[in-house]
Amino acid sequence: MLTFEQKLAIIESFPELERKNVSLGRVNFHFAESVYDKKNVVYHLHPNGNGFVYGEFLDGYDVDPKGLVNIRDFTAEELKNIIEQSIQSLSANSTVESAIIEDNEEERWINSENHTLILVHEDEMWNVYAGLNLDGTFLSYNEAKQYLEEEGFRKR
């Protein structure tokens, strides 16, 4: 089981989440850009390592009546994945991005202003999308990666 500090480090690596300290040493993390009334992505992360991630719209997780998934025994990779999925499920672009990505290999890149670009491997090319807009097409992954890094983006 990850410690409280390890979980905090993973959660705080998501710049789109805002930390909110609550009672008894617990911490919530809000996603202000949520298109739903629900803003908490991480709920009541406790110093004992227990906590919850909002997963009402996610498949493959046991959710409680409030739509929360207990993350007490999650590995680092599992925690990172569920947080990414939770943020995505609360985002305006989730259905738009699904239409673009389909079953293709994809990566998300973010800059210091929390803008996200999606790098998608389609038809032997690497395409960079900003929402529905095609931002660039590259012959290789390395070319696309270099472009994104030069524009101030980093892989999530």
Side-chain angles (χ1 to χ4, degrees):
M1 180 174 83
L2 298 171
T3 66
F4 176 72
E5 291 76 20
Q6 291 168 319
K7 287 179 181 173
L8 268 182
I10 292 167
I11 298 163
E12 289 175 339
S13 73
F14 289 89
E16 59 268 67
L17 296 181
E18 180 183 343
R19 181 179 175 150
K20 301 278 187 182
N21 294 328
V22 292
S23 63
L24 304 172
R26 295 174 298 186
V27 182
N28 290 345
F29 285 85
H30 293 223
F31 178 51
E33 309 271 324
S34 176
V35 294
Y36 300 97
D37 289 338
K38 186 70 176 170
K39 303 284 186 206
N40 277 336
V41 169
V42 178
Y43 180 72
H44 283 183
L45 180 64
H46 194 277
N48 70 9
N50 201 21
F52 302 89
V53 169
Y54 187 66
E56 183 173 350
F57 303 121
L58 308 181
D59 293 326
Y61 295 99
D62 292 327
V63 296
D64 69 10
K66 294 180 182 178
L68 299 172
V69 177
N70 190 303
I71 58 167
R72 180 179 190 86
D73 297 322
F74 274 40
T75 65
E77 192 64 30
E78 289 170 332
L79 181 58
K80 182 179 175 187
N81 287 340
I82 194 171
I83 292 170
E84 286 174 350
Q85 291 174 40
S86 181
I87 291 168
Q88 184 61 31
S89 76
L90 297 172
S91 296
N93 294 330
S94 59
T95 46
V96 168
E97 291 174 0
S98 295
I100 291 170
I101 296 165
E102 295 176 343
D103 292 329
N104 296 310
E105 180 182 353
E106 55 96 11
E107 292 179 354
R108 296 181 190 283
W109 291 69
I110 191 164
N111 70 6
S112 61
E113 297 173 356
N114 294 328
H115 296 130
T116 301
L117 296 179
I118 302 172
L119 177 59
V120 182
H121 190 208
E122 303 176 279
D123 301 321
E124 306 302 317
M125 305 290 275
W126 289 91
N127 294 322
V128 175
Y129 289 94
L132 279 175
N133 299 320
L134 180 63
D135 189 61
T137 298
F138 303 90
L139 296 174
S140 72
Y141 174 81
N142 286 336
E143 286 180 67
K145 178 182 173 188
Q146 181 180 354
Y147 166 77
L148 288 163
E149 288 173 344
E150 286 173 358
E151 294 296 318
F153 285 81
R154 65 177 174 78
K155 186 176 168 183
R156 283 219 358 229

